[in-house]
């Protein structure tokens, strides 16, 4: 599971005429820790924010919405032309140039890089997770991203297991991913919640790789510099009793 950050990145409306009444500013952040939100959440974005937060919390940077897969975004602008029905089945004629957005116009609400001609060369439309507030006059835009492993609420147990995996790999760089579980004793595997299994280790390793704490190459794992720092910070957050129980000593 992952921590999620929502950052105010734009205001598409005329904020001189229609200021944000929640007083959001570019750069303002909302953080989901896995157990609570930190930061001010406008009611106008909360309902749209929640499902995206859950998606990113669960899937991390793998999460994209269904709209990402729609080919429609990469078609050019068009005009209705009944004479073309015999070709396309409905009757549209291509407009083979991009249409410039009007300042503060509704077309600014379309996803970035959509309906351009020539089309954007990479499949990026709706890849970013964004929320636009319901007040179309101001249209505050928040961009969401999974930025770290969740370590709060009921994520704590899984986070500790993930750090234990990181610790094992640190002491055996290049270990095969499917052999990581063999680095744990039977008591470490079955005596601590959640009990480890090949499938669970695989899921947690994937999360570590997504956050760039592990590097997987040829199905072998090594800890990155970023991962080593994360592990050391985790160790320092533990009590002496916890470090002894988890067999983790600080430098």
């Amino acid at each position: 599971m992952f921590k999620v950050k929502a950052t105010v990145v734009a205001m598409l409306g005329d904020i001189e005429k229609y200021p944000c009444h929640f007083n959001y500013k570019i750069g303002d952040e909302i953080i989901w820790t896995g157990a609570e939100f930190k930061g001010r959440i406008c009611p106008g974005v909360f309902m749209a924010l929640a499902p995206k937060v859950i998606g990113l919390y669960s899937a991390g940077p793998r999460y994209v919405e269904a709209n990402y897969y729609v080919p429609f975004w990469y078609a050019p602008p068009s005009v209705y032309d009944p004479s073309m029905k015999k070709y396309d089945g409905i009757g549209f004629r291509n407009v083979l140039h991009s249409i410039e957005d009007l300042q503060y116009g509704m077309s600014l609400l379309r996803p970035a890089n959509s309906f351009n001609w020539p089309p954007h060369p990479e499949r990026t439309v709706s890849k970013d997770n964004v929320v636009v507030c319901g007040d179309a006059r101001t249209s505050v835009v928040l961009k969401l991203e999974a930025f770290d492993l969740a370590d709060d609420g009921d994520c704590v147990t899984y986070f500790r297991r993930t750090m234990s995996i990181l610790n094992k790999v640190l002491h055996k760089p290049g270990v095969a991913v499917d052999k990581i579980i063999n680095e744990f004793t039977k008591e470490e595997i079955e005596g601590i919640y959640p009990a480890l299994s090949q499938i669970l280790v695989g899921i947690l390793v994937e999360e570590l790789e997504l956050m760039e704490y592990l590097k997987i190459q040829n199905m072998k794992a090594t800890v990155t510099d970023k991962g080593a720092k994360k592990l050391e910070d985790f160790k320092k957050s533990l009590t002496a009793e916890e470090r002894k129980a988890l067999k983790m000593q600080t430098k």
Side-chain angles (χ1 to χ4, degrees), residues 145-197:
E145 58 184 327
F147 70 98
D148 203 352
L149 299 174
D151 57 3
D152 199 0
D154 64 354
C155 300
V156 170
T157 53
Y158 294 91
F159 177 72
R160 287 197 172 198
R161 280 307 215 178
T162 305
M163 291 297 101
S164 293
I165 290 170
L166 201 58
N167 189 54
K168 295 294 187 183
V169 176
L170 183 69
H171 289 93
K172 194 169 184 179
V175 61
V177 171
D178 62 356
K179 302 297 183 185
I180 291 174
I181 195 169
N182 297 338
E183 299 302 309
F184 292 85
T185 66
K186 182 177 176 63
E187 177 60 27
E188 289 172 333
I189 292 171
E190 298 180 354
I192 302 171
Y193 181 85
L196 293 179
S197 61

Side-chain angles (χ1 to χ4, degrees), residues 167-168 171 185 188 242-249:
N167 189 54
K168 295 294 187 183
H171 289 93
T185 66
E188 289 172 333
E242 289 171 327
R243 284 195 293 271
K244 182 178 179 180
L246 295 173
K247 300 178 183 177
M248 291 188 184
Q249 299 304 316

